[in-house]
Amino acid sequence: MKKIISISTLLVSALGFSTFAQADDIDDIKAKGKLVVAVKADYKPYGYRNDNGEIVGLEIDLAQDVAQRLGVALELVPAQSSNRMEFLVDGKVDLLIATMSDKPSRREIVYIADQAYYSSGSNIIAKRSSQYSSWGDLKGQKVCGIKGAFYNEATEATFGATIVPFGDSEQSLDALRQGKCDAFVYDDSFIAGKLKDAQWAQDYEMPLPTINDNPWGLAVRLGEDRFHSFMNETIIDWHKTGFILNLETKHGLKNTPFALGMNGLYQ
């Protein structure tokens, strides 16, 4: 005997399939009531731990704004350059806002927003007594670097330095203080923030011209078109309203040419 399937059953099945097929990370985030974001916890003033051990900073304020726009709570997951994309791909986090430069190779792994939210370049922090004046002065020098940072290879291949890799910035800075490295190559934005501390400003400097200026990429998982579009619109709003300019001021930074330019672009 043939099995009779009613039209209502077919409609219910179709609707159920449609709902499932259209489910995405935004739906999941709202369903669980929280947004989980990978951030830096060692990169003052963008993401660092305060005296109470809480992760705070400019990028944390950005993450909080995204959570508020979605109407959910915020959970922060501290990440390093070596594992931040892995956290996103593996589903440990929903969103990545962790000082990551936008590179074509990274776009093959994660879905980076079309509009950059920030920008920085490469420089070094070294003792004033080292008297570096050009990148060529690094030839034959031991230079601390962060595992996974794109400029490590260029510092070795182009300028002849020997990179001594470490897991995070604090390990690199400790090695620099202990004389295990002659300099530490990293983002100029981080170094500028570090040199605001009196203990570093007295004996250390950022002596070279900044190179390799790169936009920072905020990312979601590959295939998350709706979340990707949402974040693009959010970043544009951050620039248009001057939100990022205000955050720079809040965190003791001079307004950067990039942030000023983006604010002017979207006015």
Side-chain angles (χ1 to χ4, degrees), residues 3-41:
K3 185 176 180 180
I4 299 176
I5 302 176
S6 67
I7 293 178
S8 60
T9 300
L10 289 172
L11 285 172
V12 169
S13 298
L15 288 172
F17 176 78
S18 176
T19 301
F20 175 79
Q22 293 177 8
D24 58 12
D25 275 358
I26 288 184
D27 292 331
D28 294 339
I29 290 164
K30 291 184 176 181
K32 67 185 178 184
K34 68 177 179 181
L35 171 71
V36 185
V37 185
V39 297
K40 286 293 188 71

Side-chain angles (χ1 to χ4, degrees), residues 34-156:
K34 68 177 179 181
L35 171 71
V36 185
V37 185
V39 297
K40 286 293 188 71
D42 62 349
Y43 200 111
K44 191 175 183 178
Y46 300 93
Y48 64 101
R49 293 190 184 275
N50 62 17
D51 293 339
N52 296 322
E54 303 164 324
I55 303 176
V56 296
L58 187 151
E59 289 189 325
I60 281 65
D61 290 342
L62 295 179
Q64 184 63 63
D65 183 74
V66 178
Q68 290 175 352
R69 290 170 186 258
L70 292 172
V72 297
L74 174 65
E75 179 180 327
L76 302 173
V77 175
Q80 304 295 336
S81 300
S82 57
N83 59 22
R84 56 193 170 188
M85 287 191 292
E86 178 183 342
F87 283 179
L88 184 59
V89 172
D90 291 348
K92 186 174 182 178
V93 301
D94 306 307
L95 179 66
L96 190 162
I97 312 179
T99 70
M100 183 177 73
S101 296
D102 184 354
K103 295 291 182 181
S105 60
R106 289 172 176 169
R107 285 181 172 266
E108 297 176 2
I109 301 171
V110 295
Y111 205 177
I112 296 177
D114 297 328
Q115 176 59 69
Y117 68 99
Y118 214 70
S119 181
S120 69
S122 308
N123 212 311
I124 64 168
I125 180 172
K127 282 189 174 182
R128 294 180 182 276
S129 58
S130 300
Q131 298 185 335
Y132 293 119
S133 60
S134 72
W135 284 88
D137 292 340
L138 297 179
K139 184 175 182 179
Q141 300 285 287
K142 292 188 294 184
V143 177
C144 294
I146 303 294
K147 294 177 181 177
F150 76 90
Y151 35 71
N152 291 346
E153 182 178 354
T155 304
E156 283 192 316

